[in-house]
Amino acid sequence: MPVPPPPTGDLAPSPAAHWDPVPSWPEPWSGPTPPVPATSSPSWLASPGGALSRPVGGTVATALPSAPLEHHQLLRGPRARWWRPLVSLLLLLGLVGVVWTAIFLGGDLVHAALSDQPFDDALAAGVDLDGFGPGAQLVTDLTLAALIPVVLVATRVVHHVRPGFVSSVTGRLRWRWLLRCLLAVLPVWVVYLGLGFVLDPPASGRPEPWPLLLVLALVVTPFQAAGEEYLFRGWLVQDVAVWFAHPGVAWGVSTVVSAGLFALVHGSLDPWVLLDIAALGVAACALNRRPGGLEAGIALHVVNNVLLGIATTTVGGYEESFVSADSSGSPVALLTSLVVLTLAALLVLRAARRAGVERRARPAGGPPLAPAVLPG
């Protein structure tokens, strides 16, 4: 939901600051200027940082950067506290529980309404989430796509930062830049997957309900991939980075945490599979840092998932394409992934240089400020 930006400048003047004398008065006040009481500066003015939240008209306005911080450190603003990431985690888990419960119940109701079985029996059975049918795919994709609003709400409520700064340093998702990233990595993945299907054809044919699965791959899967990026490269990276002042250390630690958890949640403990998935996570974090936003990582993830969905539903190998506890990898597969990811990253970085994509948040006004020192 777009939010109007707050006033720019070091201090947004209130209406009272522009006082004009009433013309009908005989003469303006000419006496001595009354002394201004000495008060301490409010925290939103005195504290340096990268994501400014200040009172405007009696309410808390949306955040604007007040220092040229990188994307992963945008939560280190004047209101940053060490405990906010922990509270944000609790809120995020609560929101995920509520949203996912609603999606699962909705899926069961739709399944029962469309099923040939009696409604009560079909409702009790629910959607078979262990299967690979369209129903299971739709519910799974929706639960992951729902992470986008969950992340934005958790960031706004806990950190008092405008949710758009999760997307990029400009405070919004840069659609043109996202499109350029998609066009940059698409040819690489077409060749990569095409050669893979030629050199190692799938053992199984295309699934029976392949038209429905193809529609889901084209329509819903992009939001599923974006939801994972907002969680692992947006919310998780920015919240972990709150605890580290040095930009390089903050990026390194948050990248390790993000890539590690991203690999583990896929369900396989095979070391080659873990390294393969973690490599995608590291590449996405690297691409998010240089161009200053989630767009490059989203493009990488969307192209991979959508093209894989198209290929496996129309050619074959749909069930084998999912990572599970039984999945296994190899050094050759890992090396191939590293080569492909490196090539894609180089193309995106070249596009970023040509487009002049902003890497850091622009100060709202005044000289650049130092990163915040977190009070207790």
Side-chain angles (χ1 to χ4, degrees), residues 54-102:
R54 58 187 179 222
V56 176
T59 61
V60 177
T62 54
L64 280 180
S66 59
L69 297 182
E70 296 183 16
H71 176 259
H72 63 285
Q73 285 199 305
L74 286 181
L75 298 186
R76 285 185 58 83
R79 304 189 66 169
R81 302 294 185 272
W82 67 267
W83 47 264
R84 289 195 189 275
L86 302 178
V87 176
S88 182
L89 172 62
L90 294 177
L91 177 59
L92 183 134
L93 292 176
L95 291 173
V96 165
V98 172
V99 173
W100 284 11
T101 300

Side-chain angles (χ1 to χ4, degrees), residues 233-245:
R233 259 67 71 180
W235 176 84
L236 183 57
V237 166
Q238 288 187 332
D239 275 71
V240 171
V242 167
W243 292 322
F244 302 92

Side-chain angles (χ1 to χ4, degrees), residues 206-268:
R206 65 186 183 188
E208 183 178 350
W210 71 268
L212 288 176
L213 293 173
L214 179 60
V215 171
L216 292 177
L218 294 172
V219 177
V220 187
T221 297
F223 296 97
Q224 166 262 320
E228 293 185 21
E229 289 303 309
Y230 269 87
L231 177 67
F232 288 102
R233 259 67 71 180
W235 176 84
L236 183 57
V237 166
Q238 288 187 332
D239 275 71
V240 171
V242 167
W243 292 322
F244 302 92
H246 191 280
V249 174
W251 181 84
V253 174
S254 61
T255 295
V256 170
V257 174
S258 171
L261 289 178
F262 180 64
L264 287 172
V265 298
H266 280 77
S268 174

Side-chain angles (χ1 to χ4, degrees), residues 129-191:
L129 297 179
D130 294 328
F132 296 94
Q137 185 66 47
L138 176 60
V139 170
T140 302
D141 283 355
L142 289 178
T143 56
L144 295 174
L147 293 172
I148 299 175
V150 166
V151 163
L152 299 182
V153 170
T155 299
R156 180 67 182 92
V157 171
V158 177
H159 293 282
H160 304 286
V161 172
R162 196 169 84 189
F165 285 113
V166 179
S167 301
S168 78
V169 294
T170 64
R172 59 182 177 82
L173 189 68
R174 298 165 294 188
W175 291 100
R176 287 187 178 181
W177 170 235
L178 175 59
L179 179 59
R180 295 190 68 160
C181 292
L182 289 170
L183 295 176
V185 302
L186 182 60
V188 178
W189 246 259
V190 169
V191 175

Side-chain angles (χ1 to χ4, degrees), residues 353-374:
R353 287 193 296 270
R354 289 182 174 181
V357 178
E358 296 180 69
R359 177 176 179 175
R360 294 178 176 84
R362 291 183 178 182
L369 301 175
V373 177
L374 298 186

